[in-house]
Amino acid sequence: MSDARDAVAGQAEGLPGDYHVHTTYSDGTGTVAECVAQAVSAGLAEIGIADHFSPVVEAPWNIRHARLDDYVRSIMEAASGRADVTVLLGLEADYVPEHEAQLRGFLADRRFDYVIAGVHQVDGFEFDDPDQRDGPRWQDPDALLRRYYEVVAGAAASGCFDVIAHLDWIGLWGHVPGPGVRSAIEAALDAIATSGSALELNTDRTSDPAGVMYPSDELLAAARARGIPLVISSDAHEAAHVGRFWDEAIVKARRAGYRETLRLSDRQLVPLSAGP
Ligand SMILES: [Zn+2]
Ligand SMILES: [Zn+2]
């Protein structure tokens, strides 16, 4: 098939899928069915449910271990027999270096369409906790940021993940990395490129004080330069947010040089529409 016909075929398949969606199985408010319905009405070709999970920590914001089979079954049921949208079974697994062996063991026994890496803490420090903004870990922000990118590099190198979520979320309070963080950022991007994982452009720019999509334009361009494939995802915690801000995200991705996104159902790169 020619390049031109490839492009036509890709555009006919619709907007990039949303692969980072939370439901009532973790800390979302929408059911699987409600999220899938929203994907259809938003015109998405694919949706993947990826609720929070830790193989070690049972917490209210994670899928309860006792409900895992139910989680899998409900998504398989939602996927079954649909012609209007492809529904994928995903997971956003916490990446904690000390829990890597448990995660690897868990994933070896289970079959997911894809697994997203969520780095939500650094050495046990939950950097999004507003009560710790004046604590000792934020006294040297660049040191914390360096350590964050080291953990992200570890997630990529673990080989457990298909997608790295919300890269540079450590900037949620508005910190801009200083020059001393640069080498750690480069190393994290290099690790992602080597791993073959995709990078997520996270469209949720409303939940954090920084008010931005992750990652920054600069990091996105640096990822593009390394040939890291891209997915666009909402990180929706309510059904109405599935596919939110897609036009804006497409403009941002194209500004960084991306002309394709990764379709997770078959791991094909498909053309990114020009946007508005
Ligand atoms: Zn996350
Ligand atoms: Zn998430």
Side-chain angles (χ1 to χ4, degrees):
M1 190 181 277
S2 72
D3 287 345
R5 286 179 61 199
D6 267 335
V8 170
Q11 284 166 3
E13 285 156 6
L15 295 166
D18 188 344
Y19 302 114
H20 188 160
V21 173
H22 298 285
T23 73
T24 50
Y25 280 99
S26 64
D27 59 352
T29 59
T31 63
V32 172
E34 289 166 345
C35 292
V36 171
Q38 175 60 23
V40 172
S41 68
L44 305 188
E46 302 196 338
I47 177 175
I49 306 298
D51 270 308
H52 292 288
F53 176 77
S54 163
V56 177
V57 180
E58 288 270 30
W61 54 86
N62 288 335
I63 306 168
R64 295 285 183 176
H65 292 183
R67 296 190 73 199
L68 262 167
D69 289 341
D70 189 29
Y71 172 75
V72 171
R73 188 165 45 246
S74 73
I75 296 169
M76 303 286 268
E77 282 174 9
S80 173
R82 295 201 76 114
D84 52 349
V85 66
T86 300
V87 180
L88 300 180
L89 170 62
L91 198 66
E92 181 183 12
D94 274 341
Y95 180 71
V96 175
E98 294 74 22
H99 300 166
E100 186 178 315
Q102 291 96 323
L103 179 61
R104 194 181 305 284
F106 168 79
L107 293 175
D109 291 339
R110 297 268 178 166
R111 187 172 290 270
F112 293 91
D113 292 317
Y114 63 91
V115 181
I116 296 176
V119 175
H120 299 116
Q121 56 172 263
V122 174
D123 302 325
F125 176 61
E126 295 182 352
F127 49 82
D128 65 326
D129 183 353
D131 294 336
Q132 306 211 43
R133 289 284 293 116
D134 297 323
R137 290 303 298 268
W138 279 113
Q139 293 303 308
D140 183 352
D142 277 3
L144 180 62
L145 266 60
R146 273 196 299 277
R147 184 67 192 124
Y148 167 81
Y149 287 105
E150 288 171 6
V151 176
V152 171
S158 74
C160 292
F161 302 103
D162 302 285
V163 180
I164 305 298
H166 45 66
L167 179 69
D168 84 359
W169 186 44
I170 190 85
L172 82 158
W173 300 108
H175 287 283
V176 176
V181 187
R182 169 55 50 192
S183 62
I185 292 174
E186 302 266 344
L189 288 167
D190 288 344
I192 296 169
T194 300
S195 72
S197 304
L199 185 67
E200 168 189 279
L201 168 50
N202 186 301
T203 70
D204 180 9
R205 58 168 171 69
T206 66
S207 295
D208 297 332
V212 297
M213 293 184 179
Y214 305 105
S216 67
D217 285 1
E218 184 186 357
L219 263 65
L220 204 56
R224 174 69 188 92
R226 285 166 171 79
I228 297 171
L230 184 73
V231 297
I232 296 176
S233 287
S234 66
D235 207 347
H237 285 72
E238 55 185 284
H241 293 173
V242 171
R244 188 168 60 151
F245 304 138
W246 246 231
D247 289 349
E248 191 177 320
I250 288 169
V251 170
K252 179 177 166 80
R254 291 184 65 85
R255 193 163 61 227
Y258 278 100
R259 296 294 179 267
E260 297 168 313
T261 53
L262 187 68
R263 184 171 55 202
L264 286 182
S265 59
D266 58 1
R267 301 300 204 266
Q268 293 296 306
L269 289 171
V270 295
L272 189 57
S273 71

